[in-house]
Amino acid sequence: MTPLLPPRPLDPLLVSLQLTDSAFPSGLYTLSQGLEGFAQEGAVTAEGLGELLADLLRHGVGPSDSTALALAHEAAGRADWDAVTEVDLRLRAAKLSRESRASAVRTGRQVLDLAGEVFPSETVRAYAAAVARGDAPGNLAVVSGVVQAGLGVPRRQAVAADLFACCAAFAGAALRLGLTDHRRAQVLLRHAAPVLESVTDEALRRELPDLGGCVLTADALAGRHERAEARLFAN
């Protein structure tokens, strides 16, 4: 068992930076956040990347994953595992496409397994046991909330860091799909900051019955994407 490290003042920031680093083996590099489906249908151009990202954040990621992360973080902070599990189950039900459900659980369980070694805490151990028993699916957003709560990362910072990881994955996918270059990808990320901030604040205000979110075009294209003959990304 990996021993717990003594807490240090910069730990919350360092945990967020490590979790959102593209080198962290969470599997995020396999996800385009739905962008590949849009690219395959010719439904997005280089000029439209920023608008598409903002729509996905406001109407998809924000009401679903970000809200789940915020609720899971709060419940894990008071060791209410029944509440964390309820958030996890509701998030799975809110994901309409098979691809998004599968990728959220696959990456979540990967992070949970890694967290036992990289970010050990009593909080991580308790939720890993719940997932291992089959009580909870282990969606990535919920796992991220549990891990960051266990290490004292403030809830607002945890939600913002997870949203940034989503934006970085989207920009990385745009780069690999030939929709942008390295310089414009960084501009895309920077220009997403105001949306990211407002989506974070909205996620913190929602309660469990509000967890949902839907981008109909993205869900429809995800259905086509999972049956495509050639794919670079899992979602």
Side-chain angles (χ1 to χ4, degrees):
M1 180 180 296
T2 304
L4 300 180
L5 293 174
R8 297 177 305 280
L10 280 179
D11 255 1
L13 174 61
L14 296 176
V15 167
S16 294
L17 290 174
Q18 189 168 358
L19 273 174
T20 54
D21 192 306
S22 60
F24 192 79
S26 60
L28 278 179
Y29 63 90
T30 67
L31 310 180
S32 72
Q33 306 298 331
L35 177 60
E36 187 172 34
F38 281 85
Q40 287 174 336
E41 297 296 323
V44 64
T45 63
E47 292 72 23
L49 285 173
E51 187 175 355
L52 174 59
L53 177 58
D55 282 348
L56 293 174
L57 293 176
R58 288 191 180 107
H59 306 294
V61 180
S64 58
D65 295 89
S66 298
T67 299
L69 193 156
L71 293 169
H73 185 290
E74 185 178 48
R78 59 177 190 273
D80 186 346
W81 303 116
D82 288 342
V84 178
T85 297
E86 192 173 358
V87 173
D88 210 351
L89 292 170
R90 194 177 183 96
L91 178 59
R92 182 175 64 181
K95 291 184 177 293
L96 299 183
S97 78
R98 183 174 59 182
E99 263 195 339
S100 62
R101 287 195 301 274
S103 59
V105 169
R106 175 175 56 81
T107 52
R109 292 187 177 195
Q110 191 163 332
V111 169
L112 194 56
D113 181 55
L114 274 166
E117 182 175 356
V118 183
F119 306 116
S121 72
E122 294 303 327
T123 306
V124 166
R125 288 171 190 156
Y127 205 59
V131 173
R133 290 194 302 270
D135 294 343
N139 282 291
L140 177 61
V142 174
V143 170
S144 182
V146 167
V147 170
Q148 297 192 71
L151 294 172
V153 178
R155 201 161 69 112
R156 188 167 191 261
Q157 179 177 312
V159 174
D162 200 71
L163 276 166
F164 180 80
C166 172
C167 293
F170 182 96
L175 193 61
R176 292 165 65 186
L177 290 167
L179 289 167
T180 190
D181 56 30
H182 286 87
R183 295 175 67 95
R184 286 185 294 173
Q186 292 305 314
V187 172
L188 174 71
L189 273 178
R190 182 58 188 153
H191 284 189
V195 178
L196 191 153
E197 188 163 342
S198 67
V199 169
T200 296
D201 291 338
E202 290 165 6
L204 294 175
R205 289 194 291 269
R206 291 193 185 94
E207 299 182 354
L208 185 62
D210 304 319
L211 198 163
C214 179
V215 182
L216 286 176
T217 304
D219 287 327
L221 291 179
R224 293 186 183 180
H225 180 258
E226 68 182 30
R227 296 191 298 275
E229 292 183 2
R231 295 181 295 170
L232 275 176
F233 299 94
N235 180 26

